[in-house]
Amino acid sequence: LVTIIGIAASIGLLNAFLVREPLPVTPINPTVLVLTAPASAVPTLTPMLPTPTSIPTLTPIPTPDLAVAPEEITPGYYAVVVNTEGFGVTVRGGPSTNNVPLVVAEEGATLFVFGGPAEGNGFLWWQVRLDDGTEGWAAADFLAPAVAPGN
């Protein structure tokens, strides 16, 4: 009975809202706003930009004179194997006596120095390239500055 009374009341309220006349609508006249920038009294000048500087030219790095040995071992120059009492210097895979031995460069052999120095196991090491293309590290105690082969 309560449910039926609730349904009937809901239907009555719904009918009251649906049958009701719409609210009156009054037309609105739109207002048009025109926005303009204020006129400037004095025209502004474009600022003068500084003159651009010229692009610097490349200064080439001089090619080292390999016919003259430097005073000390230097990357980009050559070194000769010395002070090994005829045994030669062991060229290793890294700057340490713990690295793998690659080859033994004979006493008097000329090596191209292209890297280093690095310290390891109490020695100073230089990265070198032998005539056969083998690259590794040799201890500085057994190298002396030299001229390029053929000079």
Side-chain angles (χ1 to χ4, degrees):
L1 183 63
V2 174
T3 305
I4 294 174
I5 293 173
I7 291 174
S10 296
I11 291 174
L13 283 174
L14 244 152
N15 264 345
F17 285 114
L18 292 177
V19 176
R20 185 175 181 195
E21 287 201 28
L23 296 173
V25 177
T26 57
I28 299 174
N29 292 329
T31 305
V32 178
L33 296 175
V34 179
L35 300 175
T36 59
S40 65
V42 179
T44 57
L45 296 174
T46 303
M48 296 298 292
L49 297 175
T51 306
T53 57
S54 61
I55 298 173
T57 57
L58 174 67
T59 305
I61 298 171
T63 305
D65 182 8
L66 300 178
V68 178
E71 292 186 22
E72 56 186 36
I73 298 173
T74 307
Y77 288 88
Y78 286 85
V80 64
V81 178
V82 294
N83 303 325
T84 65
E85 298 179 12
F87 291 108
V89 66
T90 302
V91 177
R92 297 182 176 274
S96 167
T97 55
N98 296 332
N99 284 290
V100 176
L102 302 175
V103 68
V104 174
E106 296 177 3
E107 177 112 15
T110 304
L111 313 172
F112 179 71
V113 179
F114 68 92
E119 292 186 37
N121 293 102
F123 290 99
L124 187 64
W125 297 82
W126 291 96
Q127 197 169 15
V128 296
R129 182 179 306 124
L130 283 69
D131 288 339
D132 65 1
T134 303
E135 293 181 354
W137 293 80
D141 292 0
F142 307 106
L143 300 175
V147 298
N151 285 323

